[in-house]
Coordinates of all heavy atoms in Angstrom, one line a residue:
E881 N 119.0 -74.2 -10.6 CA 119.3 -73.8 -12.0 C 119.7 -75.0 -12.8 O 119.8 -74.9 -14.0 CB 120.5 -72.8 -11.9 CG 121.7 -73.4 -11.3 CD 122.8 -72.4 -11.2 OE1 122.7 -71.3 -11.8 OE2 123.9 -72.6 -10.5
H882 N 120.0 -76.1 -12.2 CA 120.4 -77.3 -12.9 C 119.2 -78.2 -13.3 O 119.4 -79.3 -13.9 CB 121.4 -78.2 -12.1 CG 122.7 -77.4 -11.9 ND1 123.5 -76.9 -12.9 CD2 123.3 -77.0 -10.7 CE1 124.5 -76.3 -12.4 NE2 124.4 -76.3 -11.1
M883 N 118.0 -77.9 -12.8 CA 116.9 -78.8 -13.0 C 116.3 -78.6 -14.3 O 116.1 -77.5 -14.8 CB 115.8 -78.5 -11.9 CG 114.6 -79.4 -12.0 SD 115.0 -81.1 -11.7 CE 115.5 -81.0 -10.0
E884 N 116.0 -79.7 -15.0 CA 115.5 -79.6 -16.4 C 114.2 -80.4 -16.4 O 113.8 -81.2 -15.5 CB 116.5 -80.2 -17.4 CG 117.8 -79.5 -17.4 CD 118.8 -80.0 -18.4 OE1 118.4 -81.0 -19.1 OE2 119.9 -79.5 -18.6
Q885 N 113.5 -80.2 -17.5 CA 112.2 -80.9 -17.7 C 112.4 -82.3 -18.2 O 113.5 -82.6 -18.7 CB 111.3 -80.2 -18.7 CG 110.9 -78.8 -18.2 CD 110.1 -78.9 -16.9 OE1 109.2 -79.8 -16.8 NE2 110.4 -78.1 -15.9
P886 N 111.5 -83.3 -18.0 CA 111.7 -84.6 -18.5 C 111.9 -84.7 -20.0 O 111.4 -83.9 -20.7 CB 110.4 -85.3 -18.1 CG 109.8 -84.5 -17.0 CD 110.2 -83.1 -17.3
I887 N 112.7 -85.7 -20.4 CA 113.0 -85.9 -21.8 C 111.8 -86.5 -22.5 O 111.1 -87.3 -21.9 CB 114.2 -86.8 -21.9 CG1 115.4 -86.2 -21.2 CG2 114.5 -87.1 -23.4 CD1 116.6 -87.2 -21.2
N888 N 111.6 -86.1 -23.7 CA 110.6 -86.7 -24.6 C 109.2 -86.6 -23.9 O 108.4 -87.6 -24.0 CB 110.9 -88.2 -24.9 CG 112.2 -88.3 -25.7 OD1 112.5 -87.4 -26.4 ND2 112.9 -89.3 -25.4
E889 N 108.9 -85.6 -23.3 CA 107.5 -85.4 -22.6 C 106.5 -85.2 -23.8 O 106.7 -84.4 -24.6 CB 107.5 -84.2 -21.7 CG 106.3 -84.1 -20.9 CD 106.3 -85.2 -19.8 OE1 107.3 -85.4 -19.1 OE2 105.3 -85.9 -19.7
F890 N 105.5 -86.0 -23.8 CA 104.5 -85.9 -24.8 C 103.6 -84.7 -24.6 O 103.1 -84.5 -23.4 CB 103.6 -87.2 -24.8 CG 104.4 -88.4 -25.3 CD1 104.8 -89.3 -24.4 CD2 104.7 -88.6 -26.6 CE1 105.5 -90.5 -24.8 CE2 105.4 -89.7 -27.0 CZ 105.8 -90.7 -26.1
P891 N 103.3 -83.9 -25.6 CA 102.4 -82.8 -25.4 C 101.0 -83.2 -25.1 O 100.5 -84.2 -25.6 CB 102.5 -82.1 -26.8 CG 102.9 -83.1 -27.7 CD 103.7 -84.1 -27.0
K892 N 100.4 -82.5 -24.2 CA 99.0 -82.8 -23.9 C 98.0 -81.9 -24.6 O 98.3 -80.7 -24.9 CB 98.8 -82.6 -22.3 CG 99.5 -83.6 -21.5 CD 99.1 -83.6 -20.1 CE 99.8 -84.7 -19.3 NZ 99.4 -84.7 -17.9
V893 N 96.9 -82.5 -25.0 CA 95.8 -81.8 -25.7 C 95.1 -80.8 -24.8 O 94.7 -81.2 -23.7 CB 94.8 -82.7 -26.3 CG1 93.8 -82.0 -27.1 CG2 95.6 -83.7 -27.3
D894 N 95.0 -79.5 -25.2 CA 94.3 -78.5 -24.3 C 92.8 -78.5 -24.4 O 92.1 -78.2 -23.4 CB 94.9 -77.2 -24.6 CG 96.3 -77.0 -24.0 OD1 96.6 -77.7 -23.0 OD2 97.1 -76.2 -24.6
S895 N 92.3 -78.8 -25.5 CA 90.8 -78.7 -25.6 C 90.3 -79.6 -26.8 O 91.1 -80.0 -27.7 CB 90.3 -77.3 -25.9 OG 90.5 -76.9 -27.2
Y896 N 89.0 -79.8 -26.8 CA 88.4 -80.7 -27.8 C 88.6 -80.1 -29.2 O 88.6 -80.9 -30.2 CB 87.0 -80.9 -27.5 CG 86.1 -79.7 -27.7 CD1 85.5 -79.5 -29.0 CD2 85.9 -78.8 -26.7 CE1 84.7 -78.4 -29.2 CE2 85.1 -77.7 -26.9 CZ 84.5 -77.5 -28.2 OH 83.7 -76.4 -28.4
S897 N 88.8 -78.8 -29.3 CA 88.8 -78.2 -30.7 C 90.2 -78.4 -31.4 O 90.3 -78.1 -32.5 CB 88.5 -76.7 -30.6 OG 89.5 -76.1 -29.8
E898 N 91.2 -78.9 -30.6 CA 92.5 -79.0 -31.2 C 92.8 -80.4 -31.6 O 93.9 -80.7 -32.1 CB 93.5 -78.6 -30.1 CG 93.4 -77.1 -29.7 CD 94.4 -76.8 -28.7 OE1 95.4 -77.6 -28.5 OE2 94.3 -75.7 -28.1
R899 N 91.9 -81.3 -31.5 CA 92.1 -82.7 -31.8 C 90.8 -83.4 -32.2 O 89.9 -83.3 -31.4 CB 92.9 -83.4 -30.7 CG 93.0 -84.9 -30.9 CD 93.8 -85.5 -29.7 NE 93.8 -86.9 -29.8 CZ 94.4 -87.7 -29.0 NH1 95.2 -87.2 -28.1 NH2 94.4 -89.0 -29.0
R900 N 90.8 -84.3 -33.2 CA 89.6 -85.1 -33.5 C 89.8 -86.4 -32.7 O 90.8 -87.0 -32.6 CB 89.6 -85.4 -35.0 CG 89.3 -84.1 -35.8 CD 89.1 -84.5 -37.2 NE 87.9 -85.3 -37.3 CZ 87.5 -85.9 -38.5 NH1 88.2 -85.7 -39.6 NH2 86.4 -86.6 -38.5
T901 N 88.7 -86.8 -32.2 CA 88.7 -88.0 -31.4 C 88.9 -89.3 -32.3 O 88.4 -89.3 -33.4 CB 87.4 -88.2 -30.6 OG1 86.3 -88.3 -31.6 CG2 87.2 -87.1 -29.7
S902 N 89.7 -90.2 -31.8 CA 90.0 -91.5 -32.5 C 89.3 -92.7 -31.9 O 89.5 -93.8 -32.4 CB 91.5 -91.7 -32.6 OG 92.0 -91.7 -31.2

Side-chain angles (χ1 to χ4, degrees):
E881 60 182 350
H882 299 300
M883 184 63 66
E884 300 181 358
Q885 294 301 314
I887 299 173
N888 299 328
E889 190 70 48
F890 292 103
K892 291 191 175 181
V893 177
D894 286 332
S895 79
Y896 71 90
S897 62
E898 298 180 12
R899 170 177 171 174
R900 293 188 62 186
T901 60
S902 56

